[in-house]
Amino acid sequence: MTRLDVIGNVSWDVTQYPDHRGCARLGGAALFVALAAARAGRPAAPVCVLGEDLAHVPQAPGLDGLDWSAHGGADGPSTRFDLRYDLQGELLDLRTDYGVAERLTNHALAHVERNPRSQYHVCCRRPLDTAAVLDRLVHHGATFSVDFFLPSAQDMIRTTAPWLNRASTVFVNAAEYRLLQAITDTTDLPEVVVTDGPRPARVWAFGRQAASVVPPSRAPCEVSGAGDTVAGTFLAHRSRGATPAQSLAEAVEAAAHFVAAPPLPIPAQRRA
């Protein structure tokens, strides 16, 4: 099975909720998408840049099932996100320190040049130069999918619009889907997966609904990473020939398990 190379960040995440949930945890879209794909049976590699503080993550128990050959290292701190949510899991406030992820664009472009026939998922988030990355993928005729992050989605959708009809799948939440509809002609897009919290998730194919699945009801522990889990799981099942409906059902089930499970701890550095 072809490996899924996931271009994005692996980060420190600090989450906070009004009911005092939240903690410092391992996060980042590249990690969560790749981990979900691997758990669903597809080889996956985060294409990321790790700082000194997370340089030991590839050896951490539970994460060694990923292919870490595509990551790079750099002096300095890794990306950090401080995320504040309401009780419904809606993001209220975000503070970001990109750290060594400022080098992600060059790292990703070099990886694409070395691996033009890989299949890619691009996490369209700052500080990645998504236009440069998608243009390079299209130049090589690579298969790729994309997702967005609501705080930067409007700018990122506008930036990536010229290449979105070449994406195999576009992943958005309901608010991002409204932005997508306002900026692009969604009838030109081969496959769009739309999640909407506890409401039905849907797949649209060239503007026509191809699947609808109601997520299972589970009390969330952490919501950050749920959409990434949907993306990785969906892509893994689609790569094996599953239908959109089958893949979506597996994806929302995996996301429900993910948000109800304890968050990934920051792994302790091994002593020499």
Side-chain angles (χ1 to χ4, degrees), residues 5-21:
D5 288 3
V6 186
I7 298 174
N9 295 317
V10 174
S11 61
W12 284 80
D13 286 359
V14 180
T15 60
Q16 181 181 356
Y17 298 82
D19 58 2
H20 306 295
R21 279 181 295 140

Side-chain angles (χ1 to χ4, degrees), residues 128-136 159-160 163:
L128 184 69
D129 185 344
T130 51
V133 171
L134 295 185
D135 187 65
R136 192 71 54 88
T159 297
T160 60
W163 299 277

Side-chain angles (χ1 to χ4, degrees), residues 38-78:
R39 287 173 173 170
R42 182 172 185 181
V47 182
C48 62
V49 180
L50 299 177
E52 298 163 294
D53 50 345
L54 295 181
H56 59 293
V57 163
Q59 289 79 45
L63 300 179
D64 48 5
L66 296 177
D67 183 343
W68 288 97
S69 63
H71 90 281
D75 294 336
S78 300

